[in-house]
Amino acid sequence: MIKEVLVVEGKSDVARIRASHIDADMITTDGFNLHPHTMEQIRCAYEKRGIIILTDPDSAGERIRKYLTERFPAAKHAFIPRKDAIANDDLGVEQASPEAIRLALSKTRCATYKPQQTFDMTDLMAAGLNGTAEAADRRAAVGALLGIGYGNAKQFVKRLNHYGVTREEWNDAVQQIEEERL
């Protein structure tokens, strides 16, 4: 059983996670309709057990994640890569395979209170994650390997620094996508 409570967007997400044989308590946000009683449930879970935010890899999911992170800064985060969350012309946790969900939860990260300034745009440029035709795909691949999700270049640097990614993890991920290209 996962110690923390998973915060997901809807009932379909809960069903998919349960079908993935993951034993966890869950709270649904019902999309961005975060009612006061839902926020109170999340607050209680956050204070007593901790929470893991697992939202859809789309703009609505990112808005929900940002909103919750502002209110619960020590929350953990799990990201399912977009490529692993698409099926039936839909994008979301409910479309992800059990393996993708389990992998995302295994790479759960917590934002640090005092973000590091380990990475900057020059790191992305040097790795071909900004300023090239393949940059977006490369960021998606590295984000999936590191468990920090996809983001534009600015957001990606922020995530690298806020989720405590180490140079070693970075180098390994960049090397792995380079090897896959060959």
Side-chain angles (χ1 to χ4, degrees), residues 17-39:
I17 291 166
R18 294 227 187 282
S20 300
H21 305 291
I22 294 169
D23 188 10
D25 292 325
M26 290 176 256
I27 297 172
T28 61
T29 66
D30 295 322
F32 207 72
N33 296 325
L34 289 158
H35 300 288
H37 69 275
T38 303
M39 290 301 291

Side-chain angles (χ1 to χ4, degrees), residues 1-56:
M1 169 134 187
I2 295 176
K3 176 188 145 250
E4 297 87 356
V5 175
L6 297 180
V7 178
V8 298
E9 291 182 54
K11 291 179 172 84
S12 297
D13 298 341
V14 170
R16 188 60 163 175
I17 291 166
R18 294 227 187 282
S20 300
H21 305 291
I22 294 169
D23 188 10
D25 292 325
M26 290 176 256
I27 297 172
T28 61
T29 66
D30 295 322
F32 207 72
N33 296 325
L34 289 158
H35 300 288
H37 69 275
T38 303
M39 290 301 291
E40 181 60 19
Q41 278 185 308
I42 295 170
R43 185 193 62 74
C44 287
Y46 175 76
E47 291 174 358
K48 292 182 183 200
R49 293 176 50 192
I51 61 172
I52 299 172
I53 300 170
L54 178 63
T55 56
D56 295 346

